[in-house]
Amino acid sequence: MRRLAYTAAALALALPARAAEFNASLSVAPQVASDRTASPYYVGPPTLPAHNRSTRQDLDLRLREGGFNAQGTLRWQAAQGAKPERHGVMNQFYYDGELGGGLAYTAGKKVLSWGVGYGFRPLDVVQRENRRGVNLPAPVGQSLLAVERFDATDAWTLAWVRPGAGGGATDAEDGSLAFHWYRLADGDDLHAVARVSHRRGIEAGAGFTRVVGDEWSFHGAALYEGRYRKTLNRLAENGGTLAAADPMTESQKHHGIKAVAGLQWTGESGWSAIAEAWYDADAYSRAEWQRLDALTARQRALAGFAPAAAIAGNVGWSSTAYLATTLLRENLMLRLAYDDRDGFKPYAELLTTPRDGGRVLTLGAAYEGNRQRVAGGLRQLGGAADSAYARAPLKRVAWIEWRIALF
């Protein structure tokens, strides 16, 4: 409650005496999930609480005056079996100014998203936004000092992210120096990025988008990572069956690659289609996931010989692998959408993991009117019986979000 009050107070104090652009919106976002109780990774109460039903209500406040921008959220959320929470989030709070000679600067907390791609963006080295989550709240920016220069065809940004932070336990907490370059050349969008950080060392990559005619576009990008990290079960990697403490440990690897390639068709009728493939070195390889499967099977086989709580606790630790944004390295996504030009936008999306035959099917729609927006959908996980998605403890999730602009 204290953070909620601080957020509201910060936005109120930021209001200047003269007229400013101020907007507020209210959103309600309930969600219902179904468990796959037959999954070897499923662990229910009392080991892990069931949060199958949840809801989030956000009051989004935005202020803009000159170069000053602020965005904050007052949030109330509740989930099955958990105590309701109320808190405030400062999403963005920054100032954009001019230095002269074509140079500009930014100081504060800002969402800084770079690169190309629909379901996956390798060049998004600062924000690292989850692009395939469902019912997600507004993103939270990074603290930064940045200088940039842009003209009709070229732009570059140099950002010192989380100044003075040093190394962090996660990418979001890690201090870094990041650079982005963009050029519009004969209708092509060209991108390049570089980043130096404590956790990942040197990252560098490039990407493009090319428009062909009135209906087609192609895009691609690749990123080299000097260091990359993934969370693995040390029992699966090094041997053993049961652990007395959480065996999921972050492992550091070297020389990783992230890449995406895709094409998009947009017809005059309102129909559009996207096909996209990507590779993410941060995700599990097929062999790593098979070792985790084998460990889980050994643990389940101990039923009746080892304490049930110990088995459930170890399986619960392994199930946290499903929290990753990208589950397996190789992914293929197909998306079909329609826009009736009057605000109604249905879509169907299929994500597959070709190495094991896993599938994630998402059906959804959104309607946007003058002041209100309603969006919702259903996501089903499945595929080949031995695939990671078919063995997931989550079977399906349905969600809806209603948003209204207050002023």
Side-chain angles (χ1 to χ4, degrees):
M1 190 66 181
R2 183 178 300 174
R3 289 186 61 190
L4 184 150
Y6 285 166
T7 303
L11 288 172
L13 290 173
L15 284 169
R18 54 181 175 171
E21 181 182 341
F22 183 69
N23 304 103
S25 64
L26 176 67
S27 63
V28 180
Q31 179 173 301
V32 178
S34 299
D35 294 325
R36 182 179 282 112
T37 55
S39 164
Y41 292 93
Y42 172 77
V43 178
T47 304
L48 292 178
H51 295 325
N52 299 77
R53 296 188 299 273
S54 63
T55 184
R56 187 188 73 250
Q57 299 176 26
D58 287 348
L59 177 62
D60 183 81
L61 307 172
R62 297 173 186 248
L63 169 70
R64 181 175 182 180
E65 206 291 317
F68 177 74
N69 293 266
Q71 178 191 0
T73 304
L74 306 181
R75 176 167 298 151
W76 180 89
Q77 60 187 26
Q80 176 187 357
K83 184 179 179 180
E85 298 180 15
R86 295 186 298 271
H87 61 271
V89 178
M90 184 59 72
N91 301 82
Q92 301 189 88
F93 196 92
Y94 64 92
Y95 186 84
D96 288 331
E98 300 291 335
L99 293 173
L103 293 175
Y105 71 91
T106 298
K109 187 176 187 180
K110 185 177 183 179
V111 172
L112 202 62
S113 184
W114 295 337
V116 299
Y118 186 87
F120 182 65
R121 286 188 173 180
L123 306 187
D124 190 16
V125 294
V126 175
Q127 191 65 30
R128 300 184 186 271
E129 183 180 357
N130 178 3
R131 301 190 59 79
R132 294 201 66 259
V134 300
N135 227 10
L136 295 176
V140 178
Q142 290 276 15
S143 300
L144 55 86
L145 295 172
V147 61
E148 62 182 348
R149 189 180 191 280
F150 54 90
D151 56 32
T153 59
D154 291 71
W156 58 260
T157 302
L158 179 64
W160 183 16
V161 183
R162 295 185 64 83
T170 66
D171 289 316
E173 299 171 343
D174 197 25
S176 66
L177 187 65
F179 178 80
H180 175 244
W181 171 83
Y182 166 82
R183 170 170 290 177
L184 177 62
D186 296 327
D188 296 337
D189 293 333
L190 307 178
H191 299 259
V193 301
R195 179 175 180 261
V196 180
S197 66
H198 297 273
R199 283 173 54 83
R200 293 184 178 266
I202 297 175
E203 298 171 276
F208 74 94
T209 298
R210 163 162 283 194
V211 177
V212 179
D214 296 328
E215 297 184 340
W216 291 91
S217 67
F218 301 84
H219 63 269
L223 179 78
Y224 166 79
E225 302 174 295
R227 295 191 294 268
Y228 65 100
R229 298 168 183 265
K230 64 176 64 180
T231 301
L232 301 172
N233 191 310
R234 58 177 173 81
L235 298 180
E237 299 300 309
N238 303 321
T241 303
L242 293 178
D246 188 354
M248 300 296 288
T249 56
E250 189 177 66
S251 301
Q252 178 176 287
K253 311 290 184 178
H254 295 275
H255 309 304
I257 294 293
K258 294 183 177 185
V260 66
L263 58 90
Q264 180 171 356
W265 169 81
T266 304
E268 294 183 359
S269 63
W271 288 98
S272 64
I274 298 174
E276 193 169 77
W278 67 82
Y279 177 88
D280 185 359
D282 289 8
Y284 274 66
S285 67
R286 176 60 175 151
E288 289 167 341
W289 197 269
Q290 288 176 326
R291 290 195 290 271
L292 190 64
D293 279 344
L295 170 64
T296 304
R298 294 198 305 269
Q299 292 169 341
R300 290 295 190 184
L302 292 176
F305 300 96
I311 297 173
N314 274 262
V315 173
W317 284 325
S318 293
S319 70
T320 60
Y322 282 96
L323 299 177
T325 302
T326 301
L327 207 55
L328 295 181
R329 287 180 167 181
E330 300 88 0
N331 298 266
L332 176 63
M333 187 199 73
L334 303 174
R335 180 182 174 94
L336 180 66
Y338 178 72
D339 185 348
D340 71 352
R341 307 294 201 274
D342 291 322
F344 181 59
K345 302 177 182 179
Y347 68 90
E349 180 183 293
L350 178 65
L351 174 74
T352 67
T353 47
R355 291 293 300 275
D356 71 349
R359 295 193 301 269
V360 179
L361 176 64
T362 306
L363 302 176
Y367 175 79
E368 189 164 357
N370 186 31
R371 296 178 56 240
Q372 300 188 57
R373 182 180 187 273
V374 180
L378 174 70
R379 174 168 289 183
Q380 175 87 22
L381 285 67
D386 63 344
S387 67
Y389 281 118
R391 296 163 67 87
L394 176 67
K395 186 176 183 180
R396 70 176 64 91
V397 58
W399 73 95
I400 190 168
E401 183 192 52
W402 170 69
R403 179 181 295 271
I404 181 169
L406 302 178
F407 50 85

